[in-house]
Amino acid sequence: MTSTHNSRRTAAVIGAGQTGVTAALGLLDAGFEVTLHSDRDQRALRDDVPATGTALEFGETQQAETALGLDTYTGRAPRHTGLSVRIAGPEREELIAFDGHFDGYVGVAVDTRLKADERLTTFQERGGRFVVGQVTPATLDGIAAATDLTLVATGRGGLSDLFAVDASRTPYSAPQRSLLTVTVTGLGHDASVFAHRSRAGGAHSGFSILADQGEGWWGPYLHKDAGPSWAFLGWARPGSDWEKRFAAADSAESALRIVRELYRDHIDWDLPEVQAAQVIAEDPHSWLKGAVRPVVRSGSGRTAGGHVVASLGDTSAAYDPIAGQGAQSGLIQAQRLVAAAAVHDGSFDEDWITRRNQEFLAARGDAANRVTRLFLGDPEFAEIGGQLFAAAAADPRVASALVGLLHRPQPLSDIGSVEAVGDFITEVTGEDAATVLARFQPAGRFSRSTFAGSLTTA
């Protein structure tokens, strides 16, 4: 990337996670003098913390990384070429089964620690300044006073309180799920893995929804140490049996044991693959539990001294990871900010920052919020979701369009009613929506895995 500006313009990025490092490297390449602040050194960022989720990303996000001249990892990570979905009712009735193929793009889930580490190395090699030390509201004031553009990417905690919550875009007062994730080896990615779900086997990730418990997802992953691997991510509804089980996890070994028992008791159609999974012994941080309250915050905030700073990534918008929008939105937001800053001749004042944030929300952020609420089963989206998932089970073209919302959520912005769902189905299939939906039949019984690679028993 080439900038017409000289290097006297300065930028500071607070937070050296995937999004923060990406923004810092992009600004550096755009001609800024950039200082990246972290409360941990590079080794600790790579080896002493867990990955912040699976960071699954698709075509639009990969295009944003390409625009910044960055590796998309599509040549290194095992690729996702579709999503296989199973939905069971509150009495365990097996209702919906479909397999959506990604049309014209692939997904990759890359360990955020690996991506941030490699980009941090490049950042320093190209002349970026990396400062290790806790940034407090007081020290941030001094940084912002001495810097043309300051971005805060410290995640959901840290300095996020500097940015007001956008109540119109934040419908939840608490997390909607408890989360548990663990990264494992022991499974390949060929057609024999999860073959009962799809002919693509291990090239498709698997998503199971249990109405009374929550959701479970398995997908190909690139781990920082083990390389090509698999990740599990589970969502437990408040008050469910799953929530109690997730709370007991205290290590990678216990997390995997809990997941095996969960699949034995609730999702037996995938059990043999889950039994074959093994923990990554060299990484004690290969698991994580917690909860995320979906929150959208203002794009701009002010320090105690009145200096304007911009929110970025999870600091700007925290998504429940159920629809994979967090890492994707953060990277797209970073690329858009870098591109706008590179050609801007004026000051990076509150008006400029607010406009950039509004543009991002209109282009991606609001749609990402909606698709997250759809997959969370938000009551406001219940009728819409019911029609979309039924139609996906009835027609593979709708299945591909539905899973495509994870890649490009913008079409959901135009679907605000059952009538609009019908228009969407017709547009995708060329048939009347009622005709498509009339073909839907409950699954009856899902196909069970006969995978022969099981190494342990639940």
Side-chain angles (χ1 to χ4, degrees):
M1 181 181 295
T2 302
S3 173
T4 59
H5 300 278
N6 60 46
S7 61
R8 286 179 294 179
R9 293 199 303 169
T10 57
V13 180
I14 318 301
Q18 173 182 248
T19 301
V21 175
T22 298
L25 184 54
L27 288 166
L28 185 71
D29 288 347
F32 285 73
E33 291 182 359
V34 184
T35 302
L36 176 63
H37 296 263
S38 170
D39 60 354
R40 295 176 183 267
D41 64 24
Q42 185 168 0
R43 186 207 61 79
L45 287 168
R46 190 186 191 281
D47 295 329
D48 292 349
V49 295
T52 54
T54 57
L56 178 59
E57 62 181 61
F58 303 101
E60 278 202 342
T61 310
Q62 292 155 15
Q63 291 167 7
E65 291 183 309
T66 298
L68 289 169
L70 300 175
D71 184 1
T72 65
Y73 292 82
T74 53
R76 298 163 59 185
R79 297 183 176 192
H80 299 239
T81 60
L83 177 66
S84 172
V85 177
R86 302 290 182 268
I87 303 177
E91 302 300 324
R92 299 292 185 273
E93 60 273 36
E94 297 175 13
L95 300 175
I96 288 178
F98 65 84
D99 191 56
H101 295 264
F102 299 148
D103 185 9
Y105 60 94
V106 298
V108 290
V110 179
D111 193 324
T112 53
R113 299 166 298 181
L114 172 66
K115 187 180 286 189
D117 180 62
E118 292 185 351
R119 290 180 183 175
L120 179 53
T121 295
T122 302
F123 172 76
Q124 293 175 94
E125 289 174 347
R126 294 181 183 175
R129 181 169 175 249
F130 181 53
V131 175
V132 179
Q134 183 74 37
V135 175
T136 66
T139 55
L140 178 64
D141 187 59
I143 292 168
T147 308
D148 294 321
L149 175 61
T150 301
L151 307 179
V152 178
T154 53
R156 298 182 296 275
L159 302 167
S160 63
D161 286 344
L162 291 173
F163 305 93
V165 173
D166 185 338
S168 68
R169 291 181 166 91
T170 304
Y172 306 119
S173 60
Q176 300 301 290
R177 299 287 192 275
S178 295
L179 307 174
L180 178 66
T181 182
V182 61
T183 308
V184 299
T185 56
L187 291 170
H189 300 91
D190 59 37
S192 71
V193 180
F194 294 112
H196 60 296
R197 279 180 169 262
S198 165
R199 286 181 296 176
H204 281 198
S205 51
F207 189 54
S208 295
I209 303 172
L210 272 66
D212 63 327
Q213 294 294 331
E215 300 83 16
W217 175 88
W218 283 89
Y221 187 75
L222 183 66
H223 183 270
K224 68 181 181 72
D225 301 316
S229 50
W230 282 81
F232 166 81
L233 182 54
W235 296 262
R237 288 181 174 273
S240 65
D241 173 55
W242 287 16
E243 183 180 54
K244 296 175 183 176
R245 297 188 189 210
F246 286 7
D250 59 9
S251 65
E253 291 79 8
S254 68
L256 180 55
R257 183 177 66 253
I258 288 165
V259 174
R260 286 175 177 161
E261 292 170 351
L262 183 149
Y263 273 73
R264 179 196 65 198
D265 297 340
H266 295 275
I267 312 178
D268 67 325
W269 50 87
D270 291 340
L271 183 57
E273 278 84 354
V274 179
Q275 289 176 322
Q278 305 171 61
V279 297
I280 299 173
E282 61 267 41
D283 179 17
H285 304 289
S286 59
W287 73 285
L288 184 65
K289 68 178 180 180
V292 177
R293 177 196 172 198
V295 176
V296 178
R297 294 182 179 273
S298 170
S300 66
R302 287 188 179 271
T303 66
H307 303 290
V308 177
V309 294
S311 62
L312 179 66
D314 286 350
T315 304
S316 179
Y319 300 90
D320 186 291
I322 198 164
Q325 297 305 302
Q328 294 198 96
S329 292
L331 291 167
I332 290 171
Q333 184 187 26
Q335 185 271 323
R336 292 177 65 93
L337 267 172
V338 168
V343 297
H344 182 59
D345 285 317
S347 65
F348 299 102
D349 57 16
E350 186 171 9
D351 180 68
W352 185 88
I353 291 170
T354 298
R355 287 178 181 272
R356 301 293 81 76
N357 187 61
Q358 290 173 342
E359 290 167 358
F360 168 71
L361 290 171
R364 174 86 188 195
D366 286 342
N369 205 342
R370 285 177 63 83
V371 77
T372 299
R373 294 176 66 190
L374 172 71
F375 275 81
L376 279 172
D378 187 305
E380 184 177 321
F381 291 82
E383 286 189 287
I384 292 172
Q387 295 280 293
L388 282 173
F389 281 90
D395 193 299
R397 294 168 294 185
V398 181
S400 291
L402 176 56
V403 300
L405 295 174
L406 306 178
H407 146 65
R408 189 173 185 277
Q410 291 87 335
L412 192 60
S413 297
D414 297 324
I415 304 176
S417 66
V418 172
E419 292 74 21
V421 175
D423 294 339
F424 177 78
I425 293 169
T426 297
E427 180 182 354
V428 167
T429 64
E431 298 183 64
D432 181 74
T435 301
V436 175
L437 288 165
R439 293 200 292 268
F440 169 72
Q441 293 185 349
R445 180 172 170 81
F446 302 144
S447 296
R448 262 56 182 175
S449 173
T450 58
F451 181 64
S454 179
L455 300 178
T456 60
T457 57

